[in-house]
Amino acid sequence: MDNINRIIKKAQDDLFPELEAKIRSELNKKDKEWLIDQIIYLTCDRHSLHEQKIKLDDMRKRLNRIRKVGYTNRSVLNFIDTYQKISRKQLEETGFIINPPHMGLATIASYQRSKKGETLLEEARDMLYVALYGDETTNVNFTRNQEEVLTIIIPQSKSESLFFLKAATEINTAGTWKDPEGVSNDDHTNNIGLQIEFGDHKEGNIGLAVFVALNLINLLHVNEQIFYARMEKVERSSLQSL
């Protein structure tokens, strides 16, 4: 006795020769260069190579910006002084973000950021990258004499907002936080924990810049009510000089 799956498969098998013939007929009308382009596109799309290329291009641009600007301990202090007290309300009132979703819901899309909002988001991403990974090869001259581990907890659905981070250990974890207003409960949400080891200044300025940058990224993109991040000192690590 046939079931629905067998009936569908038989119908597909019956239609395939006619469909194949029609596709071949249409492809025969196309020139060779067009066919080559389509094969390359489909191959890249199947293996997510387009997305990888976009990320690689973004990283090249970021590193070029960082090398061109150059960062010192003074750069970190200036960044902290400028953005440490910035708020969602200020960003809305000054036009950095436009009609964003309620905090805790969807991420803020690019069309909900003005041009200056996009520029500030990239500045925050650059500073976060510099604080975590910057060294002489990227024209970053920091005094790093204290090892720290940064832990970030972010919903899995929003983890792409930190795509530019590297050498991060990912840990799956379930959310348990409940929003008192009932707008954006985190109970049983699929979260990802990111752990990154980096060198901080003994006075904690680089670490503070990390938190300021993360706050900006949250306000301009991630859009969580509580964007959880913490740092812990590392007493001994393989990254430290022996």
Side-chain angles (χ1 to χ4, degrees):
M1 180 178 179
D2 286 344
N3 60 27
I4 187 66
N5 291 328
R6 290 195 184 96
I7 292 172
I8 292 173
K9 186 177 185 307
K10 185 177 185 304
Q12 290 173 334
D13 291 342
D14 291 342
L15 289 172
F16 182 77
E18 181 181 348
L19 178 63
E20 181 184 19
K22 184 172 180 58
I23 292 173
R24 285 181 179 277
S25 175
E26 292 298 320
L27 290 178
N28 281 331
K29 300 175 185 178
K30 304 297 183 181
D31 61 60
K32 181 179 178 181
E33 290 301 318
W34 184 89
L35 289 170
I36 291 173
D37 288 343
Q38 294 303 305
I39 291 171
I40 292 173
Y41 176 84
L42 291 173
T43 301
C44 291
D45 187 59
R46 181 176 180 181
H47 296 283
S48 301
L49 296 180
H50 290 301
E51 184 179 344
Q52 292 178 34
K53 183 179 183 301
I54 290 171
K55 290 182 178 180
L56 184 60
D57 288 343
D58 178 89
M59 183 58 69
R60 287 197 186 106
K61 291 176 183 177
R62 189 176 312 285
L63 292 176
N64 286 336
R65 279 198 308 271
I66 290 170
R67 290 189 183 102
K68 185 176 180 179
V69 172
Y71 289 80
T72 64
N73 293 325
R74 172 47 56 185
S75 305
V76 169
L77 294 175
N78 290 340
F79 180 81
I80 294 169
D81 290 341
T82 303
Y83 300 117
Q84 186 174 10
K85 296 182 179 180
I86 202 164
S87 67
R88 161 85 168 227
K89 182 179 179 182
Q90 287 176 298
L91 291 175
E92 289 190 77
E93 289 178 346
T94 52
F96 283 83
I97 48 178
I98 305 158
N99 298 321
H102 190 286
M103 291 192 77
L105 299 181
T107 55
I108 297 173
S110 58
Y111 69 85
Q112 294 168 318
R113 289 187 295 271
S114 63
K115 185 175 180 179
K116 62 183 180 180
E118 287 286 351
T119 300
L120 180 56
L121 178 58
E122 287 307 310
E123 182 181 349
R125 286 172 171 167
D126 287 353
M127 177 54 75
L128 181 58
Y129 188 93
V130 162
L132 295 175
Y133 312 115
D135 57 22
E136 292 82 0
T137 65
T138 50
N139 198 18
V140 176
N141 296 287
F142 289 164
T143 302
R144 299 183 187 267
N145 42 29
Q146 171 59 53
E147 292 299 314
E148 302 273 355
V149 171
L150 170 68
T151 301
I152 301 170
I153 305 296
I154 187 171
Q156 189 171 29
S157 60
K158 296 184 175 184
S159 60
E160 274 298 298
S161 59
L162 298 176
F163 68 90
F164 57 96
L165 296 182
K166 65 176 184 177
T169 301
E170 294 189 11
I171 305 170
N172 292 326
T173 179
T176 57
W177 182 75
K178 291 183 181 295
D179 179 8
E181 298 180 6
V183 175
S184 58
N185 291 330
D186 193 30
D187 195 23
H188 300 300
T189 297
N190 290 327
N191 290 331
I192 288 180
L194 302 175
Q195 290 189 327
I196 307 162
E197 189 169 333
F198 72 102
D200 195 0
H201 188 274
K202 63 181 179 181
E203 295 182 3
N205 294 330
I206 299 173
L208 182 54
V210 166
F211 281 122
V212 174
L214 284 173
N215 182 53
L216 278 172
I217 293 169
N218 184 48
L219 294 175
L220 290 163
H221 189 190
V222 180
N223 199 38
E224 285 291 281
Q225 284 184 320
I226 296 179
F227 187 11
Y228 180 78
R230 74 169 186 268
M231 283 190 298
E232 298 172 294
K233 289 184 179 180
V234 177
E235 295 301 326
R236 188 170 296 278
S237 165
S238 61
L239 294 184
Q240 294 171 304
S241 298
L242 297 177

